[in-house]
Each structure stands twice: as C-alpha cells, then as structure tokens.
C-alpha cells in the first residue's frame, strides 16, 4: 500500500513547527502504524534527515505511552484501540494521513509528535493512590466488595493514562482520566478511606494545570482506547459535590516542642 | 492546595451552578410555553391576557421573576466563563478537523446559546421594556396589552422568521443541555441514563416545537 503522510514536525518546544508531506510505498496492509513510521524513518535516516520522533513503548496497547492524532482522531480510526495496535489495513490505499501531536496547553510539544504528559503525573501525585500499605494478599472474602463495584472499579482501573480523552475533547478537558482514577479507588474499601480528600485534591490539581471544563460532548468516551465510560465523570462529580458539601472538618493537630 | 488553585472556582462547581441554573430555566420554559399557547385560543385573547395579568401581579411570581433573571444571568455568565477557559486550554489548535463522535451539536452550545441570547434581547425590547416603561409601545397598544402586541409582532413575517430560527437553536441547545445537566450534577445511572437522554430530546422537541407552532398558527389561520 502507498500513503501520503502529512506529519507535524517541530524541532523543539519553542519551534513553531508545521506539517511536512512525506510519501511511503510498498507498505504491507498487516504492518502496524508504527512499523509504517519506522519505514519512513529509515528513509529519512538514509537521506541524512532527522527521523520523526514519536512516543511508544510496549507496542501492545497496555502502557499508554503511544499517542498520535491521526486524521482528526486520537489513536486513529479504530474504536477502543491504541495507535500501537492500529494496522495499515484500517486505511485506504493511496490515502492522505494527517499525523499530529496531542493538543492541549497542559501537554506542551517537546519534539515532533511527542508531548509532555507530566501534567497527568501531577494529578496522580495529588491523590491517585492509597497512602497506607494495604498489606499482603488477604484471604478471599475477608473484605467483601459488591460485584457491581468490583466490576466498575476494575473497568476504571483499565485507564492507561494515554491522554486521548484530553486530545479528543473540544475543551481539552481531563475529566475522563481524572474520573477513572477517582472511581477506581473510591469504589474499593481500601480507597474509600481517603476518597473525600482525594477527589478534592485531584480536581484542584486538574484545574490548576489548565485543562478545560467538561461540556459533556462525550468525545472522550468515543476515543478512549480502554473504553472508559463517562459514567465515571458523573461519579466523580457526585463524589466531589458530596465531599465539598458534607465532608467533616479534619482535626488539625499542631505539634510544639 | 496552593493559593493559585484556590482563587479559581473549581471547574465542577462552576458547571454544577450552570447546570442547576439551566434546569431552573428548563422548568420556566414549560410555564412560559403554557401561557403562550393560550394565544391560540379563539377567545379574543381573554385567557392569554388573564394569564399575563396573573404573572404580572401575583407576588410569588414577582419574587420568582427576580430568581429567574438571576438564573439567566448565572447561566450566561458561567457559560461564557467556562467557554473562554475551554478555548484557552488549547492554545495551538489541530490542523485536521476533529472527527470524534460527539453528542449531537454539543460542541456548539456556546453558539446556540448566543443565538438564544440575541433573541432574549429582542424579546426584552419587545415586551419587558415596554411593560416597565423603558420603551414606548407601538401606537394604539397599551403597555400591558401583550395579546395585541403579540398579534402585531407575529403578523410581521420577518419577526416570525427570527422567532422560528431562535427556537430551532433553542431546541438544539436543550437537546444536549437537559441530559448534560443530569450528568454534571452526577445523576448518571446505568438503568436510567438512556431514558434521561430520550427525555431530553423529547423535551427539546416539545418545547421548541411548541413555541414554533405559534407563528405558524398566526401565518396559517389568522
Ligand atoms: S481515560 Fe482513556 S483516553 Fe483518557 S487517559 Fe485513560 S485510557 Fe487514555
Ligand atoms: S505503545 Fe504502549 S500502549 Fe501503545
């Protein structure tokens, strides 16, 4: 298969950048999108040009490192799929393919198609964890969890933190990601303990980093490679409102010597 | 939480305020539609005028008018604020148009909101300002005679056109808005969400359609 590629090239964070057109030929329909880019990069290296930089790691859809906004959709045209799991058979022979980095003020471009997603790490640092060691593996059923909660928590925990939700959102909102993290912990007994504090701190971190506000377009749900649902966003809103309105004041203990 | 995060109202709080104000307006629209439909009664405007009179003098309604204006102002102020923040959150835009599947017209809520706002301004000039004496009523019509005022306006094809377009966009706005408000205040439930979405669309069709029936009626039957 042959393709015309229009790829965003940007030397560094301060460069203005722009789309550059490339052609690749004789690509197997069964090669992955990244293998196709590898072919392109070999051509560029052979010509002594700078290869296209893009993020990838596991190449098996589990790490959340890969990105790419392909023809107006994060992770390309396939539903529930990361870019590393996308194959060229999903495109038409001769098609022109636009490849851009995630666009969000909180995800600045580092080079070409690579963006800095450490804003997500900052949100996690604000509360996306359980503070105490939850111990060894308990005997089965010592901590009962309702089946529906276990399922919903597990589904939310599938979020790989790729940022496609932000990339697809017309408002560059991070609500789907944050709600997945909040839900996955809030639904389990070990996470429930800090749930009120967590949701407030994570939302505050999200707001301070410059992501947009959710306007319920649900583009995130349509593009999430792990098919995280917007029901998580409603759950987070519930948790947040309940915490803001009804959380008891924490006793402040001051130490003096 | 450092001081920079505390200055700004949380995104969720802003949106909940917007949603609650919006839901209040949703209830108000039904009342307003109910009264407007009395225009269609073939009684020389008696029922309509009586309703308008009641709305204009009943003390509870007078208080609610203030609440209503507050609701509109809150909804618009937060809508504008949230929309500006949203635009600012993506300083460099995509070259390729976004192709993600979204809730119908949900990305144009600001635009449909502006159209409804423009209509609201016209509506104020045509009715409210006349009522409170800011604008002189057209010759031969008393300031409180909403019935004849309406007959004159709907007899004008241009006005009816603007009215129809405005309500079409209000319908688009409501179609997304009602179910989105439920989602924002956290009322998303696996059992009821589909019904809420259908209800939202039905509400939009009934309310926007209900208002749009009126100019058609005047064009066809009067
Ligand atoms: S919610 Fe989905 S799209 Fe967003 S970061 Fe997680 S896996 Fe990626
Ligand atoms: S490279 Fe790991 S998910 Fe795509």
């Amino acid at each position: 298969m042959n393709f015309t590629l229009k790829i965003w090239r940007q030397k560094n964070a301060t460069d203005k950048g722009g789309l550059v057109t490339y052609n690749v030929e004789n690509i197997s329909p069964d090669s992955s999108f990244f293998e196709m880019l590898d072919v392109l990069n070999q051509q560029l290296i052979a010509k002594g040009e700078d290869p296209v930089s893009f993020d990838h790691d596991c190449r098996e859809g589990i790490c959340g490192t890969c990105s790419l906004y392909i023809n107006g959709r994060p992770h390309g045209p396939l539903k529930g799929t990361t870019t590393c799991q996308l194959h060229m058979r999903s495109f038409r022979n001769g098609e022109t393919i636009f490849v851009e980095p995630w666009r969000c003020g909180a995800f600045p471009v580092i080079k070409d198609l690579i963006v800095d997603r450490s804003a997500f790490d900052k949100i996690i640092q604000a509360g996306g964890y359980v503070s105490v060691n939850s111990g060894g593996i308990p005997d089965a059923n010592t901590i009962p969890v309702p089946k529906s909660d276990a399922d919903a928590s597990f589904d939310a925990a599938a979020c790989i933190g790729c940022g496609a939700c932000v990339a697809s959102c017309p408002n560059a909102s991070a609500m789907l990601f944050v709600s997945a993290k909040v839900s996955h912990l809030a639904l389990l007994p070990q996470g429930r303990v800090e749930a009120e504090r967590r949701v407030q701190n994570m939302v505050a971190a999200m707001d301070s980093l410059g992501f947009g506000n959710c306007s319920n377009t649900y583009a995130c749900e349509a593009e999430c490679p792990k098919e995280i649902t917007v029901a998580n966003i409603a759950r987070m809103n519930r948790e947040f409102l309940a915490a803001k309105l009804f959380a008891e004041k924490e006793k402040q203990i001051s130490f003096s010597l | 939480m450092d001081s920079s995060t505390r200055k700004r109202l949380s995104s969720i709080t802003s949106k909940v305020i917007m949603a609650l104000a919006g839901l209040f307006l949703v209830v108000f629209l039904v009342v307003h539609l109910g009264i407007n439909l009395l225009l269609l009664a073939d009684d020389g405007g008696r029922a309509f005028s009586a309703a308008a009179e009641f709305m204009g003098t009943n003390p509870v309604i007078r208080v609610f008018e203030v609440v209503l204006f507050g609701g509109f102002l809150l909804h618009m102020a937060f809508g504008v604020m949230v929309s500006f923040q949203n635009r600012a959150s993506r300083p460099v835009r995509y070259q390729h148009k976004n192709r993600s599947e979204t809730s119908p017209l949900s990305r144009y809520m600001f635009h449909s909101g502006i159209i409804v706002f423009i209509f609201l301004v016209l509506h104020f000039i045509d009715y409210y300002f006349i009522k409170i004496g800011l604008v002189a009523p057209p010759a031969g019509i008393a300031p409180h005679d909403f019935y004849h005022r309406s007959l004159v306006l709907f007899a004008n094809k241009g006005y009816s056109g603007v009215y129809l377009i405005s309500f079409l966009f209000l319908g688009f706005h409501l179609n997304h808005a009602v179910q989105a408000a439920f989602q924002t205040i956290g009322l998303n439930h696996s059992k009821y969400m589909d019904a809420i979405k259908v209800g939202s669309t039905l509400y939009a069709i009934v309310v926007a359609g209900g208002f749009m029936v009126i100019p058609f009626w005047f064009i066809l039957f009067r």
Side-chain angles (χ1 to χ4, degrees):
Chain A
M1 300 175 89
N2 303 332
F3 300 100
T4 302
L5 303 169
K6 290 193 181 289
I7 300 183
W8 185 266
R9 301 302 310 264
Q10 181 173 337
K11 282 197 194 67
N12 52 45
T14 50
D15 181 28
K16 208 167 152 280
L19 289 175
V20 178
T21 309
Y22 300 101
N23 289 302
V24 284
E25 281 159 16
N26 288 324
I27 301 289
S28 156
D30 295 328
S31 72
S32 75
F33 198 84
F34 284 156
E35 282 161 349
M36 181 276 296
L37 286 181
D38 292 340
V39 169
L40 168 69
N41 276 346
Q42 279 309 320
Q43 287 177 21
L44 293 177
I45 291 167
K47 281 196 276 179
E49 290 176 30
D50 190 21
V52 179
S53 300
F54 58 90
D55 261 331
H56 61 104
D57 189 12
C58 70
R59 292 206 181 190
E60 56 184 18
I62 55 169
C63 75
T65 309
C66 59
S67 53
L68 305 193
Y69 190 82
I70 302 166
N71 282 347
R73 297 185 61 184
H75 293 303
L78 280 193
K79 231 182 134 51
T81 311
T82 53
T83 299
C84 59
Q85 295 292 292
L86 178 66
H87 293 84
M88 297 318 290
R89 54 180 173 267
S90 298
F91 296 87
R92 272 177 297 107
N93 188 21
E95 191 171 344
T96 299
I97 306 173
F98 282 73
V99 190
E100 297 175 70
W102 284 177
R103 289 293 185 199
C104 169
F107 288 167
V109 173
I110 298 172
K111 185 174 197 290
D112 295 341
L113 302 168
I114 300 182
V115 298
D116 178 359
R117 279 171 285 187
S118 52
F120 270 9
D121 300 332
K122 291 191 187 125
I123 296 174
I124 295 293
Q125 281 159 13
Y129 48 78
V130 170
S131 299
V132 293
N133 194 332
S134 53
I137 301 168
D139 279 346
N141 301 331
T142 42
I143 308 175
V145 180
K147 167 99 166 76
S148 59
D149 287 359
D151 287 347
S153 173
F154 191 81
D155 286 347
C159 165
I160 52 177
C162 63
C165 42
V166 175
S168 63
C169 177
N171 317 318
S173 164
M175 290 283 275
L176 193 66
F177 166 76
V178 182
S179 71
K181 301 304 169 193
V182 163
S183 292
H184 126 70
L185 293 171
L187 286 163
L188 296 180
Q190 294 90 338
R192 198 60 240 169
V193 181
E194 293 168 288
E196 288 171 340
R197 207 191 289 170
R198 176 184 307 114
V199 68
Q200 297 182 71
N201 290 344
M202 290 183 81
V203 168
M206 169 184 85
D207 287 345
S208 72
L209 289 161
F211 291 102
N213 307 284
C214 174
S215 66
N216 305 320
T217 68
Y218 312 137
C220 52
E221 181 181 81
E223 298 298 356
C224 172
K226 296 296 152 186
E227 304 187 303
I228 305 289
T229 64
V230 295
N232 289 296
I233 297 183
R235 182 182 296 105
M236 174 166 78
N237 291 358
R238 271 201 304 277
E239 291 271 336
F240 180 84
L241 288 174
K244 277 279 176 226
L245 294 172
F246 308 119
E248 294 284 352
K249 267 198 179 146
E250 284 178 26
K251 223 188 215 170
Q252 300 294 327
I253 300 166
S254 50
F255 295 97
S256 56
L257 290 175
Chain B
M1 222 194 289
D2 59 62
S3 60
S4 68
T5 60
R6 210 171 281 181
K7 257 181 259 147
R8 182 180 147 183
L9 206 53
S10 137
S11 57
I12 297 179
T13 310
S14 311
K15 288 192 30 69
V16 167
I17 293 173
M18 231 182 113
L20 291 176
L23 284 177
F24 178 72
L25 300 180
V26 157
V27 176
F28 153 77
L29 274 176
V30 175
V31 177
H32 199 324
L33 173 62
I35 294 173
N36 280 20
L37 288 178
L38 295 176
L39 279 172
L40 309 185
D42 209 6
D43 61 356
R46 243 180 310 124
F48 178 78
S49 300
E53 170 75 15
F54 172 77
M55 297 305 277
T57 51
N58 183 292
V60 179
I61 304 286
R62 302 317 301 149
V63 172
F64 261 93
E65 189 172 272
V66 179
V67 179
L68 175 68
F69 289 168
F72 267 113
L73 287 178
L74 271 183
H75 189 70
M76 292 186 299
F78 276 90
V80 169
M81 183 188 84
V82 159
S83 300
F84 275 90
Q85 284 170 351
N86 288 350
R87 272 202 84 79
S89 64
R90 181 168 286 139
V92 183
R93 312 196 80 76
Y94 291 110
Q95 304 281 315
H96 194 292
K97 195 177 155 12
N98 179 274
R99 284 221 190 121
S100 303
E101 199 184 296
T102 54
S103 174
L105 292 162
S106 58
R107 46 176 103 211
Y108 302 112
M109 292 304 274
F110 185 72
H111 310 75
S112 52
I114 292 285
I115 293 174
V116 174
F117 174 70
I118 293 172
F119 176 77
L120 209 58
V121 172
L122 288 179
H123 192 57
F124 255 67
I125 296 172
D126 288 334
Y127 287 90
Y128 193 72
F129 288 173
I130 291 183
K131 185 179 110 179
I132 61 173
L134 267 181
V135 175
I141 293 178
H144 286 259
D145 187 357
F146 290 150
Y147 181 71
H148 288 100
R149 179 86 194 100
S150 306
L151 294 193
V152 170
L153 282 174
F154 283 127
N156 179 334
K157 294 250 156 50
Y159 179 83
S160 290
V162 170
Y163 183 94
L164 286 174
I165 292 171
S166 305
F167 277 95
L168 189 64
F169 280 94
L170 178 67
F172 292 149
H173 197 76
L174 291 173
N175 176 42
H176 176 69
V178 180
Q179 54 87 18
F182 278 87
Q183 161 82 2
T184 298
I185 54 181
L187 299 179
N188 177 321
H189 189 286
S190 53
K191 268 192 205 152
Y192 309 112
M193 205 53 204
D194 287 339
I196 290 175
K197 285 190 179 163
V198 172
S200 181
T201 303
L202 281 181
Y203 172 87
I205 293 173
V206 168
V207 168
F211 277 103
M212 289 164 80
V213 161
I214 298 166
F216 277 124
W217 184 277
F218 277 93
I219 291 166
L220 296 177
F221 302 111
R222 294 288 164 95

